[in-house]
Amino acid sequence: MKVRDVMTRDLITIRHDNKVKHALEALAKNKISCCPVLDRKNNFLGIITQTDIIKIIDVHSKIHKAKEMFPLIAAAAKSKNYDKLRREIKSVMDMEVGNFTNREPVTIAAHEDLYTAAKVMNKHGINHLPVVNKNKLVGILSKSDLIKTLEKL
């Protein structure tokens, strides 16, 4: 079975010049943990994940010793009345996604087999593999896609 047979094709993507707030809202609204990042010509540039966003605000978590920063940031992005840390968080939320995009993500081709994809994910400790063809994003393969496929077999 090939990557193209099980990859997700209907993707939520963001542009490199979108604000971090937009990426956070896309992740939260769609209940996803990563978002491919495209340029103005829809070329694949990289990926931004929940983990990347957490790293962006890590300095705040060290200062305030909060254990769960993602809910805090999600609340701040959605609420205009959020007072605590609002100014600092707002400055982070207004930065462009392109500044924090992993521009060298591990990728895979659609013609590769699922065994190879699983090996790549395990080797790199990643949960998602962007599927790219000539710098164009054609899909994404997640560990949950692999699990669902195994369950059907």
Side-chain angles (χ1 to χ4, degrees):
M1 195 170 265
K2 303 292 182 186
V3 168
R4 71 174 152 261
D5 299 325
V6 298
M7 70 183 187
T8 301
R9 295 171 191 270
D10 186 23
L11 302 174
I12 306 297
T13 62
I14 56 175
R15 290 203 2 212
H16 68 98
D17 55 356
N18 287 138
K19 304 296 183 202
V20 171
K21 177 180 179 178
H22 180 79
L24 180 65
E25 289 170 345
L27 294 173
K29 177 182 173 188
N30 296 290
K31 297 178 179 155
I32 55 178
S33 59
C34 74
C35 203
V37 179
L38 308 177
D39 68 12
R40 290 184 179 154
K41 295 181 180 179
N42 290 326
N43 292 312
F44 177 68
L45 291 180
I47 196 164
I48 191 160
T49 67
Q50 286 179 343
T51 302
D52 296 327
I53 292 174
I54 297 301
K55 286 178 184 176
I56 294 167
I57 49 84
D58 186 43
V59 68
H60 295 293
S61 67
K62 288 179 181 173
I63 291 169
H64 300 283
K65 306 217 185 303
K67 293 179 182 175
E68 293 288 330
M69 287 303 290
F70 192 73
L72 172 69
I73 299 302
K78 293 179 180 181
S79 173
K80 293 182 180 177
N81 299 320
Y82 197 81
D83 293 327
K84 190 176 181 183
L85 298 176
R86 187 171 184 205
R87 191 174 316 136
E88 292 86 355
I89 292 171
K90 185 178 181 331
S91 69
V92 171
M93 293 295 122
D94 288 338
M95 293 179 184
E96 289 187 357
V97 168
N99 295 323
F100 306 103
T101 299
N102 174 357
R103 292 185 182 252
E104 295 182 12
V106 178
T107 62
I108 197 160
H111 67 272
E112 294 289 347
D113 62 66
L114 293 182
Y115 176 74
T116 300
K119 279 179 35 179
V120 168
M121 288 174 150
N122 284 329
K123 177 182 177 185
H124 295 281
I126 56 178
N127 296 322
H128 303 90
L129 269 175
V131 184
V132 179
N133 182 18
K134 297 180 183 173
N135 209 31
K136 294 290 184 187
L137 183 69
V138 295
I140 196 159
L141 181 70
S142 69
K143 282 188 177 178
S144 63
D145 293 330
L146 291 175
I147 296 300
K148 288 175 190 173
T149 302
L150 289 173
E151 180 183 45
K152 289 177 186 177
L153 298 176

